[in-house]
PDB file of all heavy atoms in Angstrom:
ATOM      1  N   ALA A 239     -13.803 -16.531  -5.339  1.00  0.00           N
ATOM      2  CA  ALA A 239     -13.035 -17.735  -5.601  1.00  0.00           C
ATOM      3  C   ALA A 239     -14.018 -18.949  -5.643  1.00  0.00           C
ATOM      4  O   ALA A 239     -14.593 -19.314  -4.537  1.00  0.00           O
ATOM      5  CB  ALA A 239     -12.129 -17.965  -4.565  1.00  0.00           C
ATOM      6  N   LYS A 241     -13.965 -22.004  -5.997  1.00  0.00           N
ATOM      7  CA  LYS A 241     -13.787 -23.275  -5.292  1.00  0.00           C
ATOM      8  C   LYS A 241     -14.590 -23.528  -4.041  1.00  0.00           C
ATOM      9  O   LYS A 241     -15.012 -24.484  -3.514  1.00  0.00           O
ATOM     10  CB  LYS A 241     -12.410 -23.727  -5.295  1.00  0.00           C
ATOM     11  CG  LYS A 241     -11.609 -23.130  -4.092  1.00  0.00           C
ATOM     12  CD  LYS A 241     -10.230 -23.682  -3.985  1.00  0.00           C
ATOM     13  CE  LYS A 241      -9.346 -23.369  -2.769  1.00  0.00           C
ATOM     14  NZ  LYS A 241      -8.927 -21.968  -2.896  1.00  0.00           N
ATOM     15  N   SER A 242     -14.748 -22.291  -3.275  1.00  0.00           N
ATOM     16  CA  SER A 242     -15.281 -22.369  -1.943  1.00  0.00           C
ATOM     17  C   SER A 242     -16.674 -22.834  -1.859  1.00  0.00           C
ATOM     18  O   SER A 242     -17.101 -23.463  -0.919  1.00  0.00           O
ATOM     19  CB  SER A 242     -15.109 -21.035  -1.265  1.00  0.00           C
ATOM     20  OG  SER A 242     -15.774 -20.002  -2.084  1.00  0.00           O
ATOM     21  N   ASP A 261     -12.483 -16.018  -9.649  1.00  0.00           N
ATOM     22  CA  ASP A 261     -11.269 -16.828  -9.696  1.00  0.00           C
ATOM     23  C   ASP A 261     -11.500 -18.272  -9.915  1.00  0.00           C
ATOM     24  O   ASP A 261     -12.325 -18.902  -9.081  1.00  0.00           O
ATOM     25  CB  ASP A 261     -10.601 -16.740  -8.276  1.00  0.00           C
ATOM     26  CG  ASP A 261      -9.570 -17.661  -7.883  1.00  0.00           C
ATOM     27  OD1 ASP A 261      -8.736 -18.120  -8.908  1.00  0.00           O
ATOM     28  OD2 ASP A 261      -9.317 -18.008  -6.717  1.00  0.00           O
ATOM     29  N   ASN A 283      -6.291 -18.499 -11.516  1.00  0.00           N
ATOM     30  CA  ASN A 283      -5.302 -18.413 -10.499  1.00  0.00           C
ATOM     31  C   ASN A 283      -4.883 -19.691  -9.787  1.00  0.00           C
ATOM     32  O   ASN A 283      -4.633 -19.708  -8.631  1.00  0.00           O
ATOM     33  CB  ASN A 283      -5.668 -17.254  -9.383  1.00  0.00           C
ATOM     34  CG  ASN A 283      -5.484 -15.989 -10.126  1.00  0.00           C
ATOM     35  OD1 ASN A 283      -4.929 -15.793 -11.186  1.00  0.00           O
ATOM     36  ND2 ASN A 283      -6.090 -14.970  -9.463  1.00  0.00           N
ATOM     37  N   ARG A 328       2.834 -15.190  -8.220  1.00  0.00           N
ATOM     38  CA  ARG A 328       2.386 -15.385  -6.854  1.00  0.00           C
ATOM     39  C   ARG A 328       3.570 -15.733  -6.033  1.00  0.00           C
ATOM     40  O   ARG A 328       4.287 -16.554  -6.279  1.00  0.00           O
ATOM     41  CB  ARG A 328       1.381 -16.564  -6.858  1.00  0.00           C
ATOM     42  CG  ARG A 328       0.939 -16.977  -5.467  1.00  0.00           C
ATOM     43  CD  ARG A 328      -0.404 -17.793  -5.572  1.00  0.00           C
ATOM     44  NE  ARG A 328      -0.615 -18.547  -4.215  1.00  0.00           N
ATOM     45  CZ  ARG A 328      -1.727 -19.247  -4.041  1.00  0.00           C
ATOM     46  NH1 ARG A 328      -2.414 -19.524  -4.950  1.00  0.00           N
ATOM     47  NH2 ARG A 328      -1.968 -19.710  -2.804  1.00  0.00           N
ATOM     48  N   PHE A 340      -1.261 -21.886   3.459  1.00  0.00           N
ATOM     49  CA  PHE A 340      -1.404 -21.820   2.112  1.00  0.00           C
ATOM     50  C   PHE A 340      -0.118 -21.899   1.292  1.00  0.00           C
ATOM     51  O   PHE A 340       0.103 -22.413   0.220  1.00  0.00           O
ATOM     52  CB  PHE A 340      -2.175 -20.551   1.611  1.00  0.00           C
ATOM     53  CG  PHE A 340      -3.603 -20.817   1.243  1.00  0.00           C
ATOM     54  CD1 PHE A 340      -4.480 -21.287   2.374  1.00  0.00           C
ATOM     55  CD2 PHE A 340      -4.275 -20.668   0.099  1.00  0.00           C
ATOM     56  CE1 PHE A 340      -5.775 -21.508   2.044  1.00  0.00           C
ATOM     57  CE2 PHE A 340      -5.536 -20.940  -0.236  1.00  0.00           C
ATOM     58  CZ  PHE A 340      -6.280 -21.271   0.904  1.00  0.00           C
ATOM     59  N   HIS A 370      -1.731 -15.154  -1.389  1.00  0.00           N
ATOM     60  CA  HIS A 370      -2.837 -15.494  -0.618  1.00  0.00           C
ATOM     61  C   HIS A 370      -2.361 -15.596   0.729  1.00  0.00           C
ATOM     62  O   HIS A 370      -1.516 -16.446   1.084  1.00  0.00           O
ATOM     63  CB  HIS A 370      -3.450 -16.919  -1.135  1.00  0.00           C
ATOM     64  CG  HIS A 370      -4.839 -17.190  -0.629  1.00  0.00           C
ATOM     65  ND1 HIS A 370      -4.980 -17.302   0.805  1.00  0.00           N
ATOM     66  CD2 HIS A 370      -6.029 -17.406  -1.090  1.00  0.00           C
ATOM     67  CE1 HIS A 370      -6.290 -17.568   1.044  1.00  0.00           C
ATOM     68  NE2 HIS A 370      -6.864 -17.611  -0.160  1.00  0.00           N
ATOM     69  N   GLY A 372      -3.564 -16.825   3.409  1.00  0.00           N
ATOM     70  CA  GLY A 372      -3.903 -17.908   4.194  1.00  0.00           C
ATOM     71  C   GLY A 372      -5.494 -17.814   4.623  1.00  0.00           C
ATOM     72  O   GLY A 372      -5.935 -16.729   4.382  1.00  0.00           O
ATOM     73  N   THR A 373      -6.196 -18.796   4.789  1.00  0.00           N
ATOM     74  CA  THR A 373      -7.643 -18.613   4.941  1.00  0.00           C
ATOM     75  C   THR A 373      -8.063 -18.324   6.410  1.00  0.00           C
ATOM     76  O   THR A 373      -7.259 -18.496   7.295  1.00  0.00           O
ATOM     77  CB  THR A 373      -8.263 -20.051   4.490  1.00  0.00           C
ATOM     78  OG1 THR A 373      -9.630 -19.688   4.093  1.00  0.00           O
ATOM     79  CG2 THR A 373      -8.312 -21.024   5.542  1.00  0.00           C
ATOM     80  N   GLN A 374      -9.266 -17.670   6.439  1.00  0.00           N
ATOM     81  CA  GLN A 374      -9.803 -17.191   7.756  1.00  0.00           C
ATOM     82  C   GLN A 374      -8.769 -16.442   8.532  1.00  0.00           C
ATOM     83  O   GLN A 374      -8.477 -16.733   9.683  1.00  0.00           O
ATOM     84  CB  GLN A 374     -10.286 -18.514   8.466  1.00  0.00           C
ATOM     85  CG  GLN A 374     -10.891 -18.135   9.860  1.00  0.00           C
ATOM     86  CD  GLN A 374     -12.333 -17.551   9.658  1.00  0.00           C
ATOM     87  OE1 GLN A 374     -12.871 -17.543   8.660  1.00  0.00           O
ATOM     88  NE2 GLN A 374     -12.763 -16.900  10.819  1.00  0.00           N
ATOM     89  N   GLY A 405      -5.620 -11.608  -2.799  1.00  0.00           N
ATOM     90  CA  GLY A 405      -6.030 -12.877  -2.425  1.00  0.00           C
ATOM     91  C   GLY A 405      -7.378 -13.039  -1.726  1.00  0.00           C
ATOM     92  O   GLY A 405      -8.217 -12.046  -1.759  1.00  0.00           O
ATOM     93  N   GLY A 406      -7.598 -14.226  -1.233  1.00  0.00           N
ATOM     94  CA  GLY A 406      -8.723 -14.411  -0.330  1.00  0.00           C
ATOM     95  C   GLY A 406      -8.361 -14.335   1.073  1.00  0.00           C
ATOM     96  O   GLY A 406      -7.402 -13.529   1.431  1.00  0.00           O
ATOM     97  N   GLY A 407      -8.873 -15.191   1.908  1.00  0.00           N
ATOM     98  CA  GLY A 407      -8.531 -15.263   3.345  1.00  0.00           C
ATOM     99  C   GLY A 407      -9.277 -14.419   4.204  1.00  0.00           C
ATOM    100  O   GLY A 407      -9.133 -14.318   5.488  1.00  0.00           O
ATOM    101  N   PHE A 408     -10.353 -13.686   3.624  1.00  0.00           N
ATOM    102  CA  PHE A 408     -11.173 -12.790   4.454  1.00  0.00           C
ATOM    103  C   PHE A 408     -12.033 -13.703   5.392  1.00  0.00           C
ATOM    104  O   PHE A 408     -12.563 -14.729   4.926  1.00  0.00           O
ATOM    105  CB  PHE A 408     -11.994 -11.965   3.593  1.00  0.00           C
ATOM    106  CG  PHE A 408     -11.301 -10.978   2.724  1.00  0.00           C
ATOM    107  CD1 PHE A 408     -10.705 -11.367   1.600  1.00  0.00           C
ATOM    108  CD2 PHE A 408     -10.936  -9.737   3.217  1.00  0.00           C
ATOM    109  CE1 PHE A 408      -9.991 -10.608   0.701  1.00  0.00           C
ATOM    110  CE2 PHE A 408     -10.263  -8.917   2.474  1.00  0.00           C
ATOM    111  CZ  PHE A 408      -9.687  -9.343   1.269  1.00  0.00           C
ATOM    112  N   GLU A 445      -9.906 -11.672  -3.984  1.00  0.00           N
ATOM    113  CA  GLU A 445     -10.731 -13.014  -4.522  1.00  0.00           C
ATOM    114  C   GLU A 445     -11.103 -13.804  -3.265  1.00  0.00           C
ATOM    115  O   GLU A 445     -10.749 -14.921  -3.145  1.00  0.00           O
ATOM    116  CB  GLU A 445      -9.775 -13.686  -5.454  1.00  0.00           C
ATOM    117  CG  GLU A 445      -8.340 -14.069  -4.895  1.00  0.00           C
ATOM    118  CD  GLU A 445      -7.590 -14.776  -6.063  1.00  0.00           C
ATOM    119  OE1 GLU A 445      -7.905 -14.626  -7.239  1.00  0.00           O
ATOM    120  OE2 GLU A 445      -6.517 -15.267  -5.673  1.00  0.00           O
ATOM    121  N   PRO A 446     -12.081 -13.285  -2.455  1.00  0.00           N
ATOM    122  CA  PRO A 446     -12.636 -13.936  -1.308  1.00  0.00           C
ATOM    123  C   PRO A 446     -13.366 -15.215  -1.792  1.00  0.00           C
ATOM    124  O   PRO A 446     -14.126 -15.133  -2.754  1.00  0.00           O
ATOM    125  CB  PRO A 446     -13.505 -12.914  -0.599  1.00  0.00           C
ATOM    126  CG  PRO A 446     -13.835 -11.878  -1.707  1.00  0.00           C
ATOM    127  CD  PRO A 446     -12.608 -11.901  -2.577  1.00  0.00           C
ATOM    128  N   GLY A 447     -13.342 -16.332  -1.045  1.00  0.00           N
ATOM    129  CA  GLY A 447     -14.164 -17.384  -1.172  1.00  0.00           C
ATOM    130  C   GLY A 447     -15.045 -17.403   0.105  1.00  0.00           C
ATOM    131  O   GLY A 447     -16.226 -16.945   0.143  1.00  0.00           O
ATOM    132  N   ARG A 448     -14.462 -17.915   1.172  1.00  0.00           N
ATOM    133  CA  ARG A 448     -15.149 -18.026   2.384  1.00  0.00           C
ATOM    134  C   ARG A 448     -15.784 -16.768   2.846  1.00  0.00           C
ATOM    135  O   ARG A 448     -17.033 -16.786   3.329  1.00  0.00           O
ATOM    136  CB  ARG A 448     -14.051 -18.395   3.518  1.00  0.00           C
ATOM    137  CG  ARG A 448     -14.594 -18.514   4.931  1.00  0.00           C
ATOM    138  CD  ARG A 448     -13.444 -18.638   5.920  1.00  0.00           C
ATOM    139  NE  ARG A 448     -12.494 -19.674   5.625  1.00  0.00           N
ATOM    140  CZ  ARG A 448     -12.633 -20.924   5.652  1.00  0.00           C
ATOM    141  NH1 ARG A 448     -13.745 -21.402   6.160  1.00  0.00           N
ATOM    142  NH2 ARG A 448     -11.666 -21.752   5.322  1.00  0.00           N
ATOM    143  N   GLY A 449     -15.159 -15.614   2.807  1.00  0.00           N
ATOM    144  CA  GLY A 449     -15.647 -14.397   3.342  1.00  0.00           C
ATOM    145  C   GLY A 449     -16.923 -13.947   2.615  1.00  0.00           C
ATOM    146  O   GLY A 449     -17.745 -13.276   3.177  1.00  0.00           O
ATOM    147  N   TYR A 546     -16.510 -24.439   1.580  1.00  0.00           N
ATOM    148  CA  TYR A 546     -15.766 -25.675   1.794  1.00  0.00           C
ATOM    149  C   TYR A 546     -16.590 -26.718   2.450  1.00  0.00           C
ATOM    150  O   TYR A 546     -16.075 -27.508   3.280  1.00  0.00           O
ATOM    151  CB  TYR A 546     -14.426 -25.485   2.356  1.00  0.00           C
ATOM    152  CG  TYR A 546     -13.663 -24.376   1.756  1.00  0.00           C
ATOM    153  CD1 TYR A 546     -13.550 -23.171   2.419  1.00  0.00           C
ATOM    154  CD2 TYR A 546     -13.120 -24.652   0.534  1.00  0.00           C
ATOM    155  CE1 TYR A 546     -12.832 -22.125   1.648  1.00  0.00           C
ATOM    156  CE2 TYR A 546     -12.347 -23.582  -0.232  1.00  0.00           C
ATOM    157  CZ  TYR A 546     -12.249 -22.488   0.426  1.00  0.00           C
ATOM    158  OH  TYR A 546     -11.610 -21.340  -0.220  1.00  0.00           O
TER     159      TYR A 546
HETATM  160  C1  PLP B1424      -8.969 -20.836  -2.301  1.00  0.00           C
HETATM  161  C2  PLP B1424      -8.407 -19.641  -2.857  1.00  0.00           C
HETATM  162  C3  PLP B1424      -9.079 -18.395  -2.584  1.00  0.00           C
HETATM  163  C4  PLP B1424     -10.230 -18.360  -1.507  1.00  0.00           C
HETATM  164  O1  PLP B1424      -9.730 -18.497  -0.280  1.00  0.00           O
HETATM  165  P1  PLP B1424     -10.606 -18.047   0.908  1.00  0.00           P
HETATM  166  O2  PLP B1424      -9.810 -18.395   2.186  1.00  0.00           O
HETATM  167  O3  PLP B1424     -11.811 -19.031   0.904  1.00  0.00           O
HETATM  168  O4  PLP B1424     -11.001 -16.625   0.843  1.00  0.00           O
HETATM  169  C5  PLP B1424      -8.579 -17.253  -3.191  1.00  0.00           C
HETATM  170  N1  PLP B1424      -7.557 -17.369  -4.152  1.00  0.00           N
HETATM  171  C6  PLP B1424      -6.969 -18.507  -4.453  1.00  0.00           C
HETATM  172  C7  PLP B1424      -5.932 -18.493  -5.455  1.00  0.00           C
HETATM  173  C8  PLP B1424      -7.467 -19.796  -3.846  1.00  0.00           C
HETATM  174  O5  PLP B1424      -6.822 -20.824  -4.205  1.00  0.00           O
END
Side-chain angles (χ1 to χ4, degrees):
K241 80 170 185 293
S242 58
D261 163 33
N283 286 346
R328 177 160 167 183
F340 259 59
H370 194 301
T373 203
Q374 185 67 18
F408 298 86
E445 49 186 18
R448 178 192 311 284
Y546 308 105

